Amino acid sequence: MSASTIVTDSAAASGPSIGSKALGLVELDRLYPGLVPPFIVLPLGDLVGNWPGLRAAAHALVAEYCAGGVDDATYAERSARLVASIALVDDVVDAGLASCGGWGSVSVRTSALAEDGAEHSFAGQYETSLDVAVQRNAIGDAIVTSVASLFSARVAAYARARGIASLDIGGSIVVQQMFVGTTSGVLFSENGRGELTLAWTPTARNTTVEGENALELRASKVADWPSGLPAPVRLLDIAIESEARNRRPVDIEWAARGNRLALLQLRPQTTVALDYELAWDCTNIAENYPGITLPLTYSFIRGLYSRVYPAFFRKLGVNQKVLDAKQQVFRNTLGYLGGHVYYQIDNWYEMVRLIPGPSSNQAFFSAMLQPQRTPGDAPRRRLGLRGAITMAPLVGRLGFLLLRSNSMSHGFRRTFQKRLKRFEAVDWNTLQADAILSTLETMRSELLTLWATPVFNDLRVMIFHGLLKTYSFGPEQHADYLGYLHGLSDRASIAPLTALGVLGNQLRERHGDAATAEGILSSPDWTATRALVDDYLARFGGRAPDELQLENPRLADDYGSLLALALGTDPAGRPPVDASARSIKGRFGTRFIGRNTRQAIDWRERFRFNRAQVYGLARAAYLALGQRLVDAEMLEAADDVFWLTEQELDEAVFGHAWNSDPRATVARRRGEFGAFEQRSLARRVVGSGLIAPAELRDDEQRSASGMAAGMGVSPGMLTAEVIVVHAFDPTIDVRGKILVTSHIDPGWTLLFVQAAGVVTERGNALSHVAIIARELGMPAVVAAMGAVDALSTGQVITINGTTGDIDAAL
């Protein structure tokens, strides 16, 4: 038998008529001898005695079907007649059988001309027979099955679905010694993210290519190969070499047994997933950055987040090499959509996975942030002995730090206050423009190096709050859970409110019960009164509505607002509320868990104020820089600086911009942000496509009324009149009413504390509004999206601070 009829030597298989798969095997065998199991190639023109007529009839049938001239039933009937007519050449089959002697069993598969092309792979469409006995009837039947699959209904449907008008039916049949592995699968050399993807099943039968469930592992192409691979690491090296040689991604079908690797097929990877998806969620962060946030604030906080979280993970003991690999995650924890600040939520879950400990960390994180969607249960970590040895020091360090959390927080407070005083003494108005930016950078460096401790305290909140909610109390014990959150160890959050009431009584005592802010400011006694106001500001002047947005004024910027807030307090004050922790029986350890939860929340509230102090200093610095730009005729007003980014300011001051016109930039952005004001974005937004943020869609569920179900965060039933507040206004009288607003941050507390109850569209059980409401005994419902539009001022409603129900009174 000539070599052109039966190819038993890879050197003889050089013609394209045998198909890409056979040619690929020949090339693999040449490049990696010993890794390709022995095979023979049977060209169809020699193997099938009636091949010319059969091929012509099959070609016509498939073309007619692709053109829509044949229905499925007719196609099945006509193709069955063609299958029945297949006549194998006995001499060819016998010679092939003789070549397989000693192989034990074989696989029989097609190498079709249409298969494994650059545009269409037809992967899994043609028939493959595995573990076929080296016997005449068995191999003959397997060959007929493969030949028949060249024009099967499945192949024809695949072609028609992809707009292929006709198929070049032909090629060869490959018979290969069966390699019995313990794992088998497919490796794709590129997934669109600079990664190799290994998909495999723990069997010799490679069901991965047939679309069945498979295990999956991804490996970065620019990092060291990971451990725990299902195949020898040589497979990954071959994939990289093959991709470079072919100048395009490839996929490799393989099998492995221990350290032995078998290459079964190599073909061009027809598609690479260039579309990607990103998801953003603002359920939690909108409390700090509600509504429109200007560019300077966003660039400022993005820089803080990207620096603080790596420092936090270093404190936990995470390897620096791991942190370096996650820099893209740290730089993209936030998103800026239509002028609104979001968490890029998947990156936050990615960071949570860096925290040593069980997969329940993800559930605890979700319980703290309450995102609109969660990624589902994280798979349990299968560490193995090596992984356990690696993880043990990290888990031990985490436990040690948790035990030292209170002392760490006290140390932070001492050092922070000491350093803060130095920067509070800076007169920004006397500094040159470049010195302002340099001093700001020093301030960030000195204060933010400390911030790993507040972030660690957030981790403490996450862990103990997660235990309290999921271990100590079930969903049916929501009221008990809320009760256990009440009773902070230090009422630092209440101090500004109490002091505001004292200031209000002092003002009424000096200026009468009918006093107004305008009257006091114009009073001859203002100089003496101002000392009282300044005393309050010295302690709490860092507070302001929406205080983490640099563009918003602080209390110290406007005496009138503070006077109006103080005069709006109830002279009698709120009835005293028991500040002690509730005594509620829970599961074993609940008292310990609850105490740690309350302590961590209390520290979190103090750290929020420290953060507001830093932002207040940054605001003053940037306003001084804005004035320099005004004096240089580069801006119209000092507060226009908030329309620029940190990078743009750096470029203008240090000369990095080849063409800088801040005034034009500000004017353009004012117009753009005017359009943003008119757009309402959901709490969760998803983008997908070649550039994901270019195509955004809301991903949030609402009720038929348009209002999302609320979350009860402070127990109590209350029926009262509604007052809807769209923007902070210190002159609004909310006493005895249910304040309904989109959000409440720490600065808003000075207003909402006068109300009888509160409903907000944002927030969760750990929000500032929830904490203060519980400490004051005020019913509160949060996360009621749509409430501002669904409810109206003057309407009487009933709210349930435990269940979150909001009902209109009849």
Side-chain angles (χ1 to χ4, degrees), residues 631-646:
D631 295 340
E633 299 183 351
M634 298 177 71
L635 287 180
E636 299 294 336
D639 58 4
D640 282 351
V641 74
F642 298 117
W643 292 93
L644 304 173
T645 66
E646 283 193 313

Side-chain angles (χ1 to χ4, degrees), residues 632-758:
E633 299 183 351
M634 298 177 71
L635 287 180
E636 299 294 336
D639 58 4
D640 282 351
V641 74
F642 298 117
W643 292 93
L644 304 173
T645 66
E646 283 193 313
Q647 180 176 339
E648 288 165 342
L649 291 172
D650 183 82
E651 290 171 349
V653 171
F654 291 104
H656 300 299
W658 65 272
N659 184 15
S660 177
D661 186 358
R663 277 183 297 197
T665 301
V666 170
R668 185 183 75 252
R669 285 183 182 156
R670 285 186 183 275
E672 293 169 348
F673 277 65
F676 295 160
E677 292 278 7
Q678 307 304 314
R679 182 181 178 187
S680 176
L681 291 174
R683 284 181 290 184
R684 178 180 164 90
V685 177
V686 175
S688 58
L690 292 174
I691 303 297
E695 294 292 335
L696 299 177
R697 66 181 186 275
D698 291 350
D699 184 22
E700 180 179 42
Q701 306 226 343
R702 302 277 186 95
S703 66
S705 67
M707 186 168 68
M711 176 193 302
V713 293
S714 182
M717 294 278 291
L718 174 66
T719 299
E721 181 182 325
V722 164
I723 180 167
V724 178
V725 178
H726 296 278
F728 184 87
D729 183 348
T731 66
I732 294 176
D733 185 5
V734 300
R735 285 176 289 187
K737 301 173 184 176
I738 297 175
L739 174 63
V740 177
T741 188
S742 63
H743 72 284
I744 288 178
D745 80 337
W748 273 72
T749 310
L750 302 174
L751 175 64
F752 104 83
V753 73
Q754 311 305 326
V758 63

Side-chain angles (χ1 to χ4, degrees), residues 148-351:
S149 72
L150 293 170
F151 49 87
S152 69
R154 181 165 63 178
V155 166
Y158 180 95
R160 185 168 72 175
R162 283 153 182 79
I164 300 173
S166 64
L167 288 182
D168 187 6
I169 297 176
S172 61
I173 300 300
V174 176
V175 180
Q176 187 171 34
Q177 182 179 16
M178 190 71 189
F179 178 89
V180 181
T182 53
T183 57
S184 58
V186 177
L187 181 151
F188 300 93
S189 70
E190 182 55 70
N191 65 0
R193 305 195 67 81
E195 298 170 330
L196 298 163
T197 301
L198 272 166
W200 80 93
T201 51
T203 64
R205 178 178 174 80
N206 188 0
T207 58
T208 305
V209 295
E210 299 172 9
E212 297 186 17
N213 292 334
L215 301 171
E216 188 173 291
L217 179 147
R218 294 178 297 169
S220 170
K221 294 159 76 171
V222 295
D224 293 339
W225 297 136
S227 58
L229 293 171
V233 72
R234 179 73 175 118
L235 175 63
L236 277 63
D237 295 330
I238 290 172
I240 296 297
E241 294 166 6
S242 300
E243 182 180 82
R245 186 171 56 253
N246 288 273
R247 298 185 180 180
R248 63 174 298 153
V250 298
D251 75 61
I252 300 174
E253 193 173 334
W254 56 272
R257 182 173 63 249
N259 292 325
R260 288 194 61 193
L261 172 65
L263 303 178
L264 306 177
Q265 187 175 341
L266 183 145
R267 56 192 164 218
Q269 189 174 320
T270 55
T271 60
V272 176
L274 298 180
D275 284 8
Y276 65 105
E277 181 174 286
L278 297 174
W280 297 270
D281 191 293
C282 70
T283 304
N284 183 275
I285 199 170
E287 181 184 29
N288 294 325
Y289 302 100
I292 295 296
T293 297
L294 296 190
L296 182 55
T297 294
Y298 180 73
S299 63
F300 181 78
I301 61 176
R302 188 187 178 203
L304 299 189
Y305 277 60
S306 65
R307 295 167 69 170
V308 165
Y309 283 94
F312 160 70
F313 283 109
R314 281 195 295 272
K315 190 180 188 73
L316 284 186
V318 177
N319 186 281
Q320 184 61 49
K321 190 173 182 180
V322 174
L323 298 181
D324 290 342
K326 296 293 182 181
Q327 283 305 307
Q328 196 71 1
V329 172
F330 297 131
R331 285 197 296 268
N332 291 286
T333 56
L334 300 178
Y336 196 41
L337 309 179
H340 295 76
V341 181
Y342 280 76
Y343 284 141
Q344 196 180 105
I345 197 67
D346 291 335
N347 279 343
W348 283 87
Y349 282 106
E350 187 72 18
M351 288 199 299

Side-chain angles (χ1 to χ4, degrees), residues 763-786:
N764 54 52
L766 298 179
S767 298
H768 189 77
V769 59
I771 293 168
I772 300 301
R774 285 193 295 268
E775 296 308 296
L776 296 177
M778 174 195 300
V781 176
V782 301
M785 283 297 291

